Amino acid sequence: MKLHEYQAKQVFADAGIPTPDSQLASDVDGVVAAAEAIGYPVAIKAQVQVGGRGKAGGIELVDNEDEAREAADSILGMDLKGYHVDRVLVEEAVDFVNELYVSVTMDRGAGKPVAMVSTKGGINIEEVAEETPEAIAREHIDPAFGMHPYQARKAVYDAGVDSDLARDVSSILTTLYQLWDDRDGSDAEINPLMVTSDGEVIAADAVMNIDEDALFRQPELAEMEEEAASGDALEQKADEYDFDYVRLEGNVGIIGNGAGLVMTTLDLVDHYGGEPANFLDVGGGAKAERIANALDMVFSDENVDSVVFNIFGGITRGDEVAKGINEALEQFDEIPKPVVVRLAGTNWEEGMEILNEDLVTVEQTLEAAVQRAVEYADEVEA
C-alpha cells in the first residue's frame, strides 16, 4: 500500500521527524483558506502517487492569494501522468540552502534492510545510482538488532553530510528505520530532506509504502488504505478484479501469469530500450473473462502505447488465454493499442491456432515478443 505524501508526512511527524506546516484541500477556496492560515509563500502540491510532479506542473510555489487561486485552478482536476488530481497539499514553503536524501528499503540481494544517505537530494535517486553510485552511502542493518546509533552516524559520515548537520540527519535516519520496521514498511524515503538557511533539516517530501499483507496488525494505516488508493482509477480497478498490479511510468503495458514471469518481462522491456508501464499478474488458472479484464485495465492506461502478453501454461491453459484475448479484442471496432502475444506451456499450440492474428501479433519467443512491443511503442512516440 502506497501512502500519499500527506499521509506519509503525518506518520513521519507523529514519530518526531520535522515536516513543514501543511493542510489538505480539495477546492480552490479551500486552498486559499489553507494558504492564509499557514502564511505565504506556500507550495501547492498535487496528491498523486507518481514521480516528477514538479516538472509535470503538479507543484507550484505561490506568494499571494491571486497566485494561489490560479495554481489551485490549474492543478485541481488536471491529469498528471494518467492520474486524476482531486486533492492538493498546501504547505509552508521552505527556505532551503541544500537538499539531502535518506531512505530505508529492503536489499533483497543481501537479504537485509539497507539505509541510504546522499547529499544529492531533490533529484531522481535512480539517476544518481546509475551515474554516480559513489554518491550514495549504504549501511546494511541486521533486523534482529535494528539500527545501531553508530550505523546511522557512519552512513551520514560516508555520504559527506556536513558535520554541523550530522547529528540531526542521523536522528532522522534512525527514526525512519524504526518507522519502517514498526510499521511493516517496504520503502520509507525522504527526498528531499531540506537544509534550511537556519541550519535545520526538514522533510519536504515523504514516501511510505506498507506491506499490504501486514495491514491486519497496522489498524491505523489500514484506515488510510481507501484514501491512499483514491485518485487512481486503475489501482481501484485492479482491486475490483483482484489483480496484483503496480502502475509504472513507461508506455509498454505488460500482462503475465506469475510474478516471476512478469518481472522477467519487465526486465526484458528495459533491456531492449523500452519503459514498462505496469506490473500486472493475472495469476494461475486465469480464464477468458480474467484475461479480458486484464486487457481492459491496460487499455485504460493512457500512457500505454503497446501491450505484451507473456503467458506460460501450467494451471493456466494457452487455449483459455487465447479465447480471452480474442473475446476482449473483438469488443473493439478498432484495437486501441497494438498487442503482442507469446504463449508457452500447456496447450500453447492450440492457443496459437485460436488467436486471431488480425487482432494481435504473435511471436514464438519472449525476446521477440518484447522487442516487437518496444518497437510498436517507439513508433507511437515518434
Side-chain angles (χ1 to χ4, degrees):
M1 181 183 78
K2 297 180 180 180
L3 298 184
H4 283 290
E5 176 191 5
Y6 75 91
Q7 295 172 317
K9 280 183 172 172
Q10 177 185 330
V11 174
F12 287 5
D14 290 344
I17 295 176
T19 61
D21 187 15
S22 63
Q23 293 184 27
L24 194 66
S26 58
D27 57 45
V28 174
D29 289 338
V31 168
V32 172
E36 291 178 350
I38 294 168
Y40 293 102
V42 297
I44 300 174
K45 310 170 77 174
Q47 293 302 284
V48 291
Q49 295 161 339
V50 65
R53 289 176 298 167
K55 291 181 180 179
I59 299 178
E60 297 284 351
L61 190 65
V62 301
D63 293 312
N64 54 57
E65 179 181 339
D66 289 341
E67 291 181 3
R69 287 188 178 278
E70 183 179 352
D73 188 58
S74 172
I75 295 173
L76 284 167
M78 76 183 301
D79 183 274
L80 188 62
K81 297 187 177 181
Y83 289 77
H84 178 74
V85 179
D86 58 8
R87 291 169 297 183
V88 296
L89 188 66
V90 183
E91 184 174 86
E92 171 191 8
V94 179
D95 180 17
F96 70 96
V97 295
N98 199 3
E99 296 176 295
L100 308 176
Y101 171 91
V102 296
S103 73
V104 178
T105 190
M106 177 60 74
D107 184 339
R108 303 196 182 281
K112 294 180 179 180
V114 60
M116 295 184 285
V117 182
S118 178
T119 56
K120 293 184 177 293
I123 58 177
N124 190 325
I125 197 64
E126 284 79 11
E127 293 179 7
V128 177
E130 183 176 343
E131 296 171 6
T132 54
E134 68 278 4
I136 304 174
R138 297 172 173 85
E139 188 69 21
H140 286 91
I141 302 156
D142 187 333
F145 299 99
M147 176 180 277
H148 294 291
Y150 81 86
Q151 291 182 294
R153 293 194 298 268
K154 181 176 183 297
V156 170
Y157 175 82
D158 289 347
V161 175
D162 289 344
S163 58
D164 293 344
L165 305 171
R167 182 186 296 272
D168 288 342
V169 178
S170 297
S171 175
I172 288 173
L173 183 61
T174 301
T175 302
L176 197 65
Y177 174 79
Q178 198 62 53
L179 276 173
W180 180 89
D181 187 39
D182 291 345
R183 298 303 189 100
D184 292 297
S186 55
D187 303 285
E189 177 185 274
I190 303 173
N191 185 26
L193 178 66
M194 286 184 171
V195 181
T196 71
S197 54
D198 297 328
E200 298 179 349
V201 287
I202 188 166
D205 197 7
V207 171
M208 186 78 181
N209 298 332
I210 310 299
D211 181 352
E212 289 186 350
D213 292 332
L215 283 178
F216 71 94
R217 60 187 183 194
Q218 301 290 345
E220 292 181 12
L221 297 180
E223 291 178 2
M224 297 181 180
E225 185 174 19
E226 185 174 343
E227 282 191 54
S230 67
D232 183 7
L234 288 176
E235 297 279 1
Q236 294 174 4
K237 186 176 286 190
D239 287 340
E240 293 174 10
Y241 289 151
D242 193 27
F243 286 143
D244 288 329
Y245 174 82
V246 179
R247 192 173 190 185
L248 304 173
E249 297 182 25
N251 62 347
V252 179
I254 296 170
I255 302 172
N257 63 321
L261 203 64
V262 178
M263 287 301 299
T264 299
T265 313
L266 262 74
D267 289 341
L268 279 174
V269 168
D270 182 70
H271 176 74
Y272 287 117
E275 294 184 35
N278 64 272
F279 171 105
L280 201 167
D281 175 11
V282 297
K287 303 297 183 181
E289 181 182 1
R290 193 164 176 80
I291 296 299
N293 289 341
L295 274 171
D296 173 58
M297 274 203 62
V298 177
F299 284 163
S300 297
D301 186 345
E302 295 178 358
N303 294 336
V304 170
D305 292 323
S306 68
V307 181
V308 58
F309 251 104
N310 182 18
I311 301 292
F312 186 88
I315 300 174
T316 305
R317 290 166 28 199
D319 55 329
E320 286 284 352
V321 173
K323 289 175 184 176
I325 294 172
N326 286 346
E327 287 177 13
L329 295 179
E330 286 167 0
Q331 299 172 16
F332 297 92
D333 294 330
E334 182 178 349
I335 306 303
K337 332 254 173 146
V339 178
V340 185
V341 181
R342 175 262 190 176
L343 298 178
T346 304
N347 290 2
W348 72 272
E349 291 176 328
E350 292 90 333
M352 297 288 255
E353 292 176 2
I354 291 170
L355 282 171
N356 184 345
E357 294 193 42
D358 291 332
L359 304 178
V360 301
T361 300
V362 178
E363 295 290 351
Q364 297 291 329
T365 68
L366 175 57
E367 290 80 1
V370 169
Q371 285 180 283
R372 182 62 63 90
V374 170
E375 289 171 4
Y376 283 149
D378 288 343
E379 290 172 5
V380 174
E381 288 294 307

